[in-house]
Amino acid sequence: MPRPRILVTRRWPDAVERRLCALFDTTLNADDHRLSADELRAALRAHDAVLPTVSDRLDAGVLAVEAPRARILANYGVGYSHIDVDAARERGLVVTNTPGVLTDCTADLALTLMLMVARRAGEGERELRAGRWTGWRPTHLVGTRLSGKTLGIIGMGRIGIAVARRAQHGFGMQVVFFNRSPVAAEALAGLQATQLEHIEDVLAQADFVSLHCPGGGANRHLIDAARLAAMKPHAFLINTARGDVVDEAALAAALQHGRLAGAGLDVFEAEPQVHPGLLALENVVLLPHLGSATRETREAMGMRVVDNLVAFFDGRRPPDQVS
Ligand code: 8YV
């Protein structure tokens, strides 16, 4: 039997690419360019599986391709709002993701952003590297401490819970959260975290708000101008989820007018573009979507995709099938 033909849309860690090549008839993206819509359509026509990432927009227009050969989109990443899952289902395409393996690294990055923005680390580094540091003084770059503050989490799934544990056990923070459905007590074992009924309740109480819900759909601009106005003026907004969860223009305006103390962002509405209003502000930490970017996690994500593909082509349900 011929081996399944698969296409990997970006460069993946070497060990994963080697395993894919050993198991499947694999097409790699040697120069790691971002595939155009036409290249994605061609991939869907010529391969049994396409392995996309967040940089591939698999919308209804692309998925409407004539006579697709592909039967599975094995996504590299836990978030999959770049894939129109309804359109994929209509075309008979299974969609899988890679949950669990990036929880710790993404939670670490949320804490990195909290610390960087509260302790003005980005500002300090820019000042020092520009040769503008004149030496120690008691009033220099004074920030805010995390200890004793309230962290508000929007979206208390695996990553939200991992952030809460770090914040509470590592930094002595109180935790309140919003989640669409009740969160089971076992998932919160060892944590003192209070589920509140409305997002606004969390925004009103939190000194730091960290977003951990999926992007797309009803979550687009979940944090809009009105919700930004509902935050405390001394509060910080952290986003390691998806850029479109926040109305970036409204965030830039709120920060420019001093209605918020700062923001730490790893994700953006139109990556790799960043709203110019945010780029101009000192009290914003901006990272280029690094949440899962550790050697260990990027490899584990790839191996998880391999496991999904092996199950699918063996005729079993992939362990991480989402649609
Ligand atoms: C991934 C992410 O690197 O997994 C996710 O949801 O945001 C990132 O950590 C990216 O999605 C790869 O597709």
Side-chain angles (χ1 to χ4, degrees):
M1 233 189 37
R3 295 190 305 167
R5 294 195 69 194
I6 70 161
L7 180 135
V8 190
T9 66
R10 303 303 297 258
R11 288 304 312 269
W12 286 16
D14 288 345
V16 188
E17 289 191 346
R18 278 197 301 276
R19 189 161 169 227
L20 287 169
C21 290
L23 291 168
F24 307 109
D25 177 358
T26 303
T27 302
L28 299 174
N29 178 352
D31 65 6
D32 201 22
H33 70 284
R34 184 177 180 153
L35 299 194
S36 66
D38 278 343
E39 287 175 300
L40 287 170
R41 286 191 193 98
L44 291 164
R45 270 197 297 265
H47 297 83
D48 299 300
V50 172
L51 282 51
T53 72
V54 69
S55 63
D56 303 305
R57 235 176 104 74
L58 287 152
D59 56 18
V62 168
L63 292 168
V65 59
E66 240 173 78
R69 171 172 171 160
R71 289 183 295 131
I72 178 168
L73 298 172
N75 186 54
Y76 182 87
V78 65
Y80 51 88
S81 56
H82 51 286
I83 301 172
D84 184 330
V85 285
D86 295 330
R89 198 179 311 111
E90 274 167 32
R91 303 309 314 268
L93 279 157
V94 163
V95 179
T96 59
N97 71 344
T98 63
V101 289
L102 39 73
T103 302
D104 284 335
C105 286
T106 307
D108 290 347
L109 203 84
L111 267 296
T112 303
L113 287 170
M114 282 167 66
L115 286 164
M116 282 185 73
V117 70
R119 299 301 304 273
R120 305 177 67 177
E123 283 178 75
E125 221 222 354
R126 282 191 291 278
E127 180 185 280
L128 184 150
R129 283 181 183 273
R132 287 186 274 106
W133 184 33
T134 56
W136 194 90
R137 56 198 191 278
T139 55
H140 180 222
L141 283 181
V142 172
T144 305
R145 72 178 200 179
L146 266 59
S147 332
K149 299 285 168 28
T150 297
L151 169 64
I153 293 183
I154 312 289
M156 199 66 159
R158 291 184 192 82
I159 299 173
I161 292 172
V163 170
R165 290 195 191 288
R166 282 157 173 72
Q168 188 153 89
H169 300 148
F171 295 94
M173 299 181 81
Q174 278 117 45
V175 176
V176 294
F177 67 91
F178 170 82
N179 197 65
R180 257 179 242 278
S181 49
V183 178
E186 309 86 74
L188 301 177
L191 257 182
Q192 284 195 312
T194 310
Q195 180 158 10
L196 303 178
E197 202 179 333
H198 303 290
I199 292 180
E200 283 71 16
D201 303 333
V202 171
L203 301 178
Q205 289 190 29
D207 304 301
F208 292 81
V209 173
S210 194
L211 306 176
H212 300 289
C213 53
N219 284 352
R220 184 171 180 276
H221 289 185
L222 187 77
I223 304 299
D224 57 7
R227 288 201 164 124
L228 289 166
M231 288 174 66
K232 295 181 182 180
H234 69 252
F236 298 92
L237 179 70
I238 308 298
N239 190 5
T240 54
R242 278 294 177 266
D244 68 350
V245 177
V246 177
D247 179 340
E248 244 169 53
L251 175 62
L255 289 161
Q256 271 153 10
H257 294 106
R259 294 198 296 267
L260 215 59
L265 309 172
D266 186 45
V267 286
F268 303 90
E269 279 197 77
E271 294 178 12
Q273 262 96 52
V274 176
H275 191 285
L278 295 173
L279 287 168
L281 291 167
E282 281 293 344
N283 55 342
V284 185
V285 177
L286 303 165
L287 296 181
H289 202 146
L290 295 179
S292 63
T294 63
R295 248 191 341 271
E296 299 87 343
T297 286
R298 287 283 162 87
E299 207 164 280
M301 289 162 68
M303 295 306 180
R304 194 84 182 219
V305 174
V306 177
D307 294 345
N308 283 314
L309 288 173
V310 167
F312 180 79
F313 288 116
D314 276 358
R316 290 179 281 120
R317 185 185 165 89
D320 306 313
Q321 181 168 338
V322 292
S323 167

